[in-house]
Amino acid sequence: MFTKPVLLVIAHGSRDPRHAATVHALVRRVRSLRPDVRVETGFLDFNIPSVQGVLESLAAEGVRDVVALPLLLTRAFHAKADIPAVLRDAPPQLRIRQAEVLGPSPLLMAALERRLYEAGLTPVDKSSTGVVLASAGSTDPEAIAVIAEIAREWRHTGWCAVRPAFASASLPRTEDAVRELRELGCERVAVAPYVLAPGFLPDRIARGAADADVLADVLGAAPEVARVLLERYDAARVPVLAAVGA
């Protein structure tokens, strides 16, 4: 019997089947870490179930408290507009609180390093390796500033250099950042995709990494990502419970 608010993970959705498969793998990891929490998944577009459909099903079951967690790395348009709009149309008997997006977080930086080491780097390589922090991109200045700040912070952990890059909407592109790190004199260049799941934009990042020495995998169902989800859930559910006197 679940007594805590339902965690509704809200993913963007994609025509690429790898996207949904990765989201479901991440959700399975979250469930394994917290079997006392009911975790559901809804998609904004392309995939089913839709967010609205999940919310209607939960209301029909008699669920009252929901934490809606955007499966997003930055607080851009989807977190600020799309998701709040969907939640406003939820059945009125549901008490919903929108959790914060996943990033930035030290756990996500740890997941980025995990993926780089899985791709062949070692901690000994850090001081001679330049890293491209490659994100999907956004027209939102706040989201772009967050990526730039993550790159600055990551540089201070021992890498030769770290440069942000974007697959869309913003510059520089991945291939430009790879070239810049080469010109800077880094012994090797690695590309770390700061994206959650495979798809069109991650594929563009991969193409831009053609001249890099190392290309890491997407963050996916890394254990650190699952832990961030639960941190955001726990931070959001406390006000929900306080509001209902639990």
Side-chain angles (χ1 to χ4, degrees), residues 9-225:
V9 176
I10 300 179
H12 182 273
S14 171
R15 292 186 178 90
D16 190 321
R18 297 173 297 168
H19 173 88
T22 302
V23 171
H24 291 312
L26 176 59
V27 168
R28 286 195 297 272
R29 187 179 286 276
V30 171
R31 288 180 180 134
S32 72
L33 291 174
R34 290 285 290 276
D36 60 325
V37 175
R38 178 176 174 181
V39 187
E40 300 291 341
T41 308
F43 295 91
L44 290 173
D45 206 354
F46 301 117
N47 303 105
I48 54 174
S50 67
V51 175
Q52 187 66 29
V54 174
L55 292 171
E56 291 173 358
S57 295
L58 291 173
E61 289 180 32
V63 170
R64 291 297 174 263
D65 295 308
V66 176
V67 170
L69 194 154
L71 198 60
L72 301 168
L73 294 173
T74 59
R75 191 172 176 273
F77 181 78
H78 293 303
K80 294 177 179 178
D82 286 355
I83 292 175
V86 172
L87 297 180
R88 282 195 295 270
D89 289 336
Q93 61 267 46
L94 291 176
R95 292 180 289 247
I96 304 174
R97 185 172 182 86
Q98 182 175 328
E100 292 296 328
V101 297
L102 303 184
S105 166
L107 284 169
L108 294 178
M109 295 178 74
L112 287 167
E113 295 213 359
R114 168 193 289 275
R115 293 305 190 216
L116 285 171
Y117 296 150
E118 290 171 348
L121 292 179
T122 70
V124 175
D125 298 323
K126 289 186 75 167
S127 63
S128 58
T129 301
V131 178
V132 178
L133 179 68
S135 75
S138 174
T139 57
D140 190 305
E142 179 185 349
I144 298 304
V146 166
I147 300 300
E149 180 59 26
I150 292 171
R152 283 191 291 269
E153 290 184 11
W154 205 14
R155 164 67 181 84
H156 295 313
T157 67
W159 297 100
C160 174
V162 180
R163 295 290 186 271
F166 308 93
S168 69
S170 307
L171 296 174
R173 295 287 184 255
T174 302
E175 53 268 34
D176 299 326
V178 169
R179 188 180 310 112
E180 180 185 351
L181 291 172
R182 291 280 188 218
E183 294 171 353
L184 192 63
C186 296
E187 185 176 317
R188 68 185 63 78
V189 175
V191 174
Y194 190 58
V195 292
L196 286 167
F200 176 76
L201 293 179
D203 284 349
R204 180 179 288 176
I205 290 172
R207 291 193 296 273
D211 291 332
D213 301 294
V214 174
L215 171 63
D217 199 358
V218 299
L219 294 173
E224 296 88 352
V225 179

